[in-house]
Amino acid sequence: MEKIILVDGNNLLFRSYYATAYSGNLMQNSKGFPTNAIYGFVNMINKIITEEEPKYMIVAFDKGKTFRHEQYDFYKQGRSETPEELKVQFPIAKDILNAMGIKYYECDNYEADDIIGTFARYCDEEEDFIGTIVSSDKDLLQLISPDIDMKLLKQKDYIRYNEQTFFEDYGIPPKQVVDLKALMGDPSDNIPGVKGVGEKTALKLLQQYKTLDGVYEHIDEIKGKLHEKLVDDKENAYMSYKIATIVRDVPMEISIPDIKYRGNDVEKLNDIYEELEFYSLLKKIHLQRNKEDKKLETKIIQKVEEIKLTKDTAVYIEILGTNYHRDKVLGLALYNDQEYYFVPPHLIKDSFSYWKDYVKFTYDLKKLYVCLRWLGETVTNITFDSMIAGYLLDYTIKDDIAYLANDLDEELPFYENVYGKRKFVEPELDVTASLALYKAKFIYESQTLLQKEIEEHDLHYLFYEVEMPLAITLGDMEFDGVHVNKETLQEMGKEIQIKIELLEKDIYNQAGCEFNISSPKELGNILFEKLQLPHGKKNNRGYSTAADTLNKLKDKHPIIELILEYRMLTKLYSTYIDGLMNTILPDGKIHTIFTQTLTRTGRLSSLEPNLQNIPVRYEYGRLIRKAFIPSEDSMMVSSDYSQIELRIFAHMANIETLVEAFKQDMDIHSKTAMDIFHVTQDQVTKDMRRIAKAVNFGIVYGISSFGLSENLGISVGEAKQFMDHYFEAYPGIRTYMDQVKKDAYQKGYVETLLHRKRVIKELQSDSVMVRKQGERMALNTPIQGTSADIIKKAMNEVHDAFIKEHLQSKMILQVHDELVIDCKKSEFEQVSRILKEVMEHTVELRVPLKVDIEYGNNWYEAK
């Protein structure tokens, strides 16, 4: 099926103009010619081409008065006159479309909607074509059909509607948009409709009576004022129906073959952009010109001897999927500005010696490193990873290199557009080879720019000494994996299933009936209608049964505790019993993937499976760790930083009282309780310590008095009082926090002790709530981010120390502040010494870092 993109040109230009006009940012070139509408228009057209990859495309425009104006002199009456600054931009926009190889069309007496409607009819009638409409004009929704969908543009994104999704949102078929407009009218076009009937009422009528005709055929069934309104305005309703109906048979001089997308005429575009002074768009044009000048021949090697490298080279490995531990390797691309090759998968291992000494740059070093380790080879001389660099520089980074490329104005197709999203499909070898070579080319050509930015942003140490070595450290951890006892998981699964069945019976007894406990709708009805519990907030989907709602009801009915436990156990079973067993590879191990470039604070995360989120607050969650076992003649050793974030906080805020408490190895929560409750150490109660602990961590995370009240189950007033006492006890903390927020507003970012930067766009928001959220991020990130930097640095040093001392023990897991070691029993003393020396001295703060080391026959015993 060939795709036709049908664009509402007037709509895009008006959107582009007013998006900047209201802010007073009317772009113009040095000659004073306005350019804001054109600039936004071109960027939207480029985005459409990138996302939709059209074979055929047409941009439709209005052309003066239409038959609707002739028949209805009030049509669009009252609309503001099109600003002159916008009018003069239309002809230039059309010239640009011509230069972009895109057909535009306008027709006397008809609107752009009618042109789009006519081409939509072509798609409906021709078997080989489907269409996508692009506009923010809801009138065009009436054209949606089995062969037509629509990208309904919103302020910053879009909603993609087809017949099904439209019906799910509106409860009527798309073709009934005309009936909807007939009833509710449209002030933007001065279509009257039925006075006093809004969208909600109109939809209700159409859901019941299907069409406008249906409404009036059953008019006697409709009572009260609505009946009167419909009767009084029947003539307006049918007139509005005619006005709102899009014409689908415009007499046009073009048809589908005439709107084939031809691609850019680079020279013409270059001239227009130079005249308009669109320098960022000129940069893209120059990149395209360079691309065309340097088109790569797809060079797939047949013999390894064909590879003849003489200089530093970029390397990129392509796999079919997202899990490089188990997914198929499709090949490997090598590129420098003189030589380039694509190595098919069956030759990668044999070719290794021909290129290993020359490869210096890549994207996702860890993926490359692990893939090669699975092949029995180890790459050691990569000096630059574009993915890590882009992440530190706050570019848009994902596994897919196309995101970084597009950020740097280099167009690469998105991975899912070539290989699929969930069900991956392998293309022909030459397609894979060509794409991989262009990716390697981008890595090679962008490396200098990224390297320069790393230096300019003071990220040299973090990049070269922490993150780059960490890719290898994590690669070894992932490759080594962790042994899992499947029988332990199976036995635990049986036990949990029995417990779930017993809970189901108890819940049914409490409810007085059986129902689907996992259905929020059915559960909501039971809790808030049958059992009449409070806090029953109802929305379009029914009552909220989210965890925060249920937690407020714990003391209202015994069923709540049962439901919360049921939810916890069913999630444990599906995610951590079934889920974990499905990820055990033939070697009896789980090989997780540690994502190095995901979180905004610098913390590592884990996926496929996520081993950092096992819910250890629950006994069954903790017991799952029993299934994680060491290798033969080994033990599990856990080394965990003690209160590292509070220690970093004391260091950064430089609060002498807290610094001294840590130096004296006092219990910091007891010390805080002493200071805010004005008691001696022996007078501190468990409840005082609990409150002090909540305040300590709450302050670190920038919590509000409301948030603290929720955590402690107390009133907001009491929570505020505790926080006030805290700031009175440690007055320097408020000074520190105020300064952090002030600096964040001025710079737009915060940074860690190792200069990891986090840009906080939320601080620029018009919303007070969003800005407050940004302030909490500003307070927490330097602390949590420094903690992440410290443990990453320590991981590298532990990894290197194990190698230097020729140990067989392996670091296999990292869970935030904890390292887990598969430790040979004979090496326990050495491993403990290395962990303590390295982790406690990897950085020197005003307060000492402290680690707690435990061990056992499995991960559960080691914690």
Side-chain angles (χ1 to χ4, degrees):
M1 301 286 280
E2 302 281 17
K3 182 186 280 190
I4 301 176
I5 304 302
L6 308 169
V7 180
D8 184 348
N10 276 67
N11 182 267
L12 262 61
L13 273 165
F14 271 85
R15 280 172 61 83
S16 301
Y17 176 81
Y18 285 109
T20 51
Y22 286 131
S23 64
N25 183 24
L26 281 174
M27 288 172 59
Q28 55 185 23
N29 64 8
S30 58
K31 296 175 183 176
F33 184 83
T35 59
N36 61 327
I38 302 169
Y39 185 77
F41 177 81
V42 172
N43 278 312
M44 282 196 273
I45 292 291
N46 281 330
K47 190 168 189 282
I48 291 166
I49 291 168
T50 300
E51 291 176 348
E52 301 299 329
E53 298 182 335
K55 289 285 182 70
Y56 297 84
M57 184 169 178
I58 185 166
V59 179
F61 289 101
D62 296 344
K63 190 179 182 183
K65 299 276 186 179
T66 70
F67 71 91
R68 294 180 180 87
H69 294 89
E70 293 172 7
Q71 294 176 10
Y72 312 101
D73 55 7
F74 58 81
Y75 181 57
K76 294 193 177 182
Q77 205 174 65
R79 272 198 181 184
S80 301
E81 183 72 22
T82 303
E84 193 62 34
E85 295 88 351
L86 173 55
K87 281 182 183 177
V88 297
Q89 297 184 61
F90 270 78
I92 310 300
K94 293 169 184 176
D95 289 344
I96 290 173
L97 289 172
N98 280 331
M100 295 176 86
I102 298 167
K103 185 71 176 177
Y104 76 85
Y105 198 75
E106 52 197 354
C107 187
D108 288 331
N109 215 29
Y110 292 96
E111 296 182 37
D113 290 8
D114 302 317
I115 296 168
I116 291 171
T118 302
F119 271 98
R121 178 174 62 83
Y122 292 165
C123 292
D124 290 336
E125 293 173 353
E126 297 282 345
E127 290 184 3
D128 298 332
F129 294 93
I130 56 173
T132 293
I133 298 167
V134 183
S135 176
S136 65
D137 184 353
K138 291 186 177 181
D139 289 353
L140 289 161
L141 290 165
Q142 65 186 269
L143 300 174
I144 293 172
S145 70
D147 296 308
I148 298 289
D149 66 4
M150 180 171 173
K151 291 175 82 164
L152 182 68
L153 303 177
K154 310 299 282 184
Q155 189 171 359
K156 292 185 178 177
D157 207 344
Y158 62 84
I159 301 172
R160 192 159 203 139
Y161 278 123
N162 56 29
E163 284 189 311
Q164 181 182 340
T165 54
F166 182 86
F167 186 84
E168 287 171 359
D169 274 9
Y170 285 89
I172 60 174
K175 64 183 180 182
Q176 288 181 5
V177 167
V178 185
D179 304 82
L180 182 65
K181 293 273 185 182
L183 288 167
M184 63 181 276
D186 185 350
S188 67
D189 287 338
N190 203 32
I191 297 175
V194 175
K195 191 174 180 181
V197 171
E199 183 178 74
K200 187 176 180 182
T201 303
L203 282 173
K204 191 173 178 182
L205 287 168
L206 293 175
Q207 286 160 8
Q208 185 171 359
Y209 300 116
K210 308 305 180 189
T211 64
L212 182 66
D213 286 340
V215 170
Y216 281 102
E217 285 167 8
H218 296 83
I219 192 70
D220 292 337
E221 298 173 16
I222 302 167
K223 306 299 181 186
K225 287 187 177 180
L226 180 56
H227 175 90
E228 293 175 20
K229 291 174 184 176
L230 289 166
V231 171
D232 290 346
D233 262 347
K234 181 177 181 180
E235 185 178 340
N236 274 343
Y238 277 95
M239 178 175 61
S240 299
Y241 183 94
K242 289 179 182 177
I243 300 173
T245 302
I246 291 174
V247 173
R248 303 190 61 188
D249 56 358
V250 174
M252 295 192 298
E253 297 170 358
I254 60 169
S255 59
I256 290 176
D258 300 308
I259 65 168
K260 190 162 188 176
Y261 172 55
R262 302 185 304 277
N264 290 344
D265 182 326
V266 174
E267 297 303 327
K268 283 185 181 178
L269 270 184
N270 188 77
D271 292 344
I272 296 171
Y273 290 165
E274 281 186 349
E275 178 69 21
L276 296 172
E277 298 169 9
F278 287 171
Y279 297 115
S280 62
L281 294 173
L282 276 169
K283 184 179 177 183
K284 290 184 180 180
I285 289 293
H286 293 156
L287 284 170
Q288 181 180 343
R289 183 183 280 150
N290 291 339
K291 192 183 294 184
E292 289 174 355
D293 290 344
K294 299 181 186 176
K295 279 201 172 176
L296 297 179
E297 173 194 349
T298 304
K299 197 182 290 185
I300 303 172
I301 67 164
Q302 305 299 317
K303 298 177 182 178
V304 295
E305 293 82 5
E306 294 175 39
I307 300 174
K308 292 178 171 42
L309 296 175
T310 59
K311 59 187 297 187
D312 290 355
T313 298
V315 58
Y316 185 80
I317 194 162
E318 190 77 279
I319 66 170
L320 188 65
T322 58
N323 190 318
Y324 45 75
H325 294 299
R326 60 171 186 256
D327 290 336
K328 180 180 179 181
V329 174
L330 299 179
L332 178 142
L334 303 163
Y335 180 92
N336 63 54
D337 56 7
Q338 294 176 7
E339 306 128 344
Y340 57 91
Y341 310 93
F342 180 79
V343 185
H346 66 283
L347 291 179
I348 292 176
K349 181 173 174 59
D350 292 340
S351 70
F352 184 68
S353 61
Y354 288 83
W355 51 263
K356 66 173 183 176
D357 294 331
Y358 293 96
V359 293
K360 296 295 169 80
F361 323 125
T362 194
Y363 185 93
D364 198 347
L365 170 57
K366 181 160 62 68
K367 178 177 79 169
L368 174 70
Y369 180 81
V370 174
C371 285
L372 290 172
R373 282 212 64 184
W374 282 113
L375 292 173
E377 304 292 352
T378 304
V379 64
T380 57
N381 55 314
I382 301 285
T383 60
F384 201 89
D385 182 341
S386 300
M387 183 171 83
I388 295 174
Y391 168 63
L392 294 181
L393 293 167
D394 200 39
Y395 286 109
T396 304
I397 296 300
K398 296 194 178 184
D399 293 345
D400 185 354
I401 190 175
Y403 286 89
L404 177 61
N406 281 285
D407 261 11
L408 294 177
D409 292 328
E410 177 71 50
E411 291 181 9
L412 282 176
F414 290 101
Y415 186 93
E416 64 185 56
N417 290 342
V418 179
Y419 299 100
K421 195 167 186 177
R422 292 181 180 86
K423 188 177 181 181
F424 301 106
V425 179
E426 183 177 353
E428 296 295 325
L429 182 62
D430 62 336
V431 174
T432 298
S434 177
L435 285 169
L437 282 167
Y438 273 111
K439 291 175 182 180
K441 181 175 183 286
F442 165 70
I443 294 166
Y444 183 84
E445 292 178 346
S446 62
Q447 183 267 336
T448 303
L449 169 69
L450 292 170
Q451 187 176 36
K452 183 181 177 184
E453 290 191 36
I454 288 288
E455 301 298 335
E456 287 174 352
H457 288 84
D458 197 20
L459 293 168
H460 184 283
Y461 182 83
L462 186 64
F463 179 75
Y464 289 104
E465 303 299 326
V466 178
E467 295 289 359
M468 284 294 292
L470 185 69
I472 304 301
T473 299
L474 293 173
D476 283 335
M477 290 168 62
E478 291 180 11
F479 180 77
D480 291 331
V482 55
H483 288 278
V484 179
N485 189 323
K486 190 177 276 192
E487 287 73 25
T488 300
L489 284 177
Q490 289 169 336
E491 287 303 314
M492 196 175 303
K494 290 175 185 175
E495 187 177 332
I496 289 174
Q497 279 185 314
I498 292 169
K499 179 70 173 171
I500 288 171
E501 289 170 9
L502 293 172
L503 278 170
E504 279 181 346
K505 291 176 183 175
D506 287 345
I507 290 168
Y508 295 153
N509 286 337
Q510 291 290 340
C513 65
E514 292 190 8
F515 63 100
N516 183 355
I517 303 168
S518 300
S519 164
K521 185 175 181 180
E522 292 188 36
L523 177 60
N525 290 338
I526 291 291
L527 297 180
F528 303 115
E529 292 184 3
K530 190 171 191 298
L531 299 180
Q532 292 291 300
L533 296 181
H535 302 294
K537 292 182 180 178
K538 199 169 187 179
N539 53 37
N540 292 337
R541 299 180 182 179
Y543 293 99
S544 169
T545 58
D548 58 343
T549 300
L550 296 188
N551 280 322
K552 291 174 183 174
L553 299 172
K554 278 184 179 180
D555 59 344
K556 305 296 182 185
H557 199 287
I559 196 173
I560 301 298
E561 289 280 8
L562 298 172
I563 290 165
L564 289 170
E565 188 176 3
Y566 174 87
R567 280 186 177 177
M568 181 269 294
L569 289 176
T570 53
K571 182 176 180 181
L572 274 178
Y573 185 83
S574 62
T575 306
Y576 298 105
I577 301 296
D578 270 357
L580 288 177
M581 283 196 289
N582 290 333
T583 60
I584 299 172
L585 294 188
D587 61 0
K589 296 180 179 180
I590 283 177
H591 298 266
T592 189
I593 292 175
F594 289 102
T595 52
Q596 196 175 346
T597 58
L598 181 65
T599 68
R600 292 175 70 185
T601 59
R603 270 191 168 192
L604 294 173
S605 52
S606 161
L607 52 85
E608 296 193 57
N610 185 346
L611 298 182
Q612 294 185 336
N613 265 16
I614 298 173
V616 293
R617 285 182 299 171
Y618 305 105
E619 181 58 19
Y620 276 112
R622 288 193 295 275
L623 288 171
I624 285 171
R625 289 187 168 190
K626 279 190 173 182
F628 291 79
I629 57 175
S631 53
E632 193 175 347
D633 297 325
S634 299
M635 63 176 75
M636 286 292 216
V637 173
S638 167
S639 183
D640 198 354
Y641 274 115
S642 172
Q643 298 173 334
I644 186 169
E645 290 187 359
L646 289 176
R647 291 170 189 268
I648 292 167
F649 181 61
H651 166 86
M652 296 183 85
N654 196 18
I655 307 303
E656 196 58 40
T657 315
L658 296 178
V659 170
E660 283 305 311
F662 278 122
K663 283 182 176 177
Q664 294 170 28
D665 201 23
M666 289 183 68
D667 178 86
I668 199 65
H669 303 310
S670 294
K671 169 62 178 166
T672 303
M674 291 163 58
D675 291 338
I676 66 175
F677 289 107
H678 305 293
V679 296
T680 60
Q681 189 166 0
D682 60 319
Q683 292 174 315
V684 174
T685 65
K686 283 185 179 179
D687 198 46
M688 288 177 180
R689 187 183 183 279
R690 178 180 70 87
I691 291 168
K693 182 177 180 179
V695 175
N696 272 331
F697 285 111
I699 295 296
V700 168
Y701 285 93
I703 202 169
S704 65
S705 51
F706 174 78
L708 183 63
S709 73
E710 292 278 295
N711 290 349
L712 289 172
I714 58 177
S715 72
V716 175
E718 288 177 289
K720 185 178 184 306
Q721 202 170 34
F722 288 137
M723 292 179 76
D724 288 343
H725 290 328
Y726 184 91
F727 288 125
E728 287 168 11
Y730 311 118
I733 287 179
R734 191 182 289 279
T735 304
Y736 162 76
M737 292 171 72
D738 289 344
Q739 189 62 48
V740 168
K741 287 188 282 187
K742 182 181 176 183
D743 290 346
Y745 274 109
Q746 287 178 347
K747 297 177 181 177
Y749 66 86
V750 292
E751 59 183 315
T752 67
L753 289 180
L754 296 189
H755 303 297
R756 181 186 303 278
K757 292 177 175 61
R758 177 180 182 177
V759 175
I760 305 181
K761 295 176 183 175
E762 290 82 355
L763 294 176
Q764 311 305 319
S765 173
D766 293 332
S767 164
V768 174
M769 286 183 64
V770 175
R771 287 201 305 275
K772 289 293 182 187
Q773 181 187 8
E775 289 177 4
R776 289 193 291 274
M777 293 175 186
L779 291 170
N780 172 245
T781 296
I783 297 161
Q784 193 178 95
T786 296
S787 170
D789 292 346
I790 287 172
I791 198 161
K792 284 178 174 180
K793 185 171 183 291
M795 289 169 71
N796 289 332
E797 291 169 359
V798 169
H799 176 264
D800 292 348
F802 282 7
I803 293 172
K804 184 178 179 181
E805 297 193 22
H806 307 290
L807 301 185
Q808 292 178 281
S809 300
K810 305 286 184 184
M811 182 165 50
I812 54 172
L813 290 174
Q814 187 259 30
V815 182
H816 305 316
D817 304 331
E818 174 193 8
L819 299 182
V820 181
I821 314 296
D822 186 337
C823 176
K824 289 293 177 186
K825 291 177 180 176
S826 60
E827 296 174 350
F828 176 69
E829 295 299 327
Q830 282 175 280
V831 167
S832 298
R833 172 182 54 79
I834 289 170
L835 289 170
K836 198 159 185 66
E837 285 178 359
V838 168
M839 293 179 73
E840 291 188 346
H841 300 286
T842 189
V843 297
E844 297 298 331
L845 303 178
R846 294 186 181 94
V847 300
L849 293 176
K850 181 182 177 184
V851 296
D852 299 320
I853 297 175
E854 298 183 50
Y855 60 90
N857 294 315
N858 52 56
W859 191 9
Y860 175 84
E861 291 182 6
K863 282 298 289 179

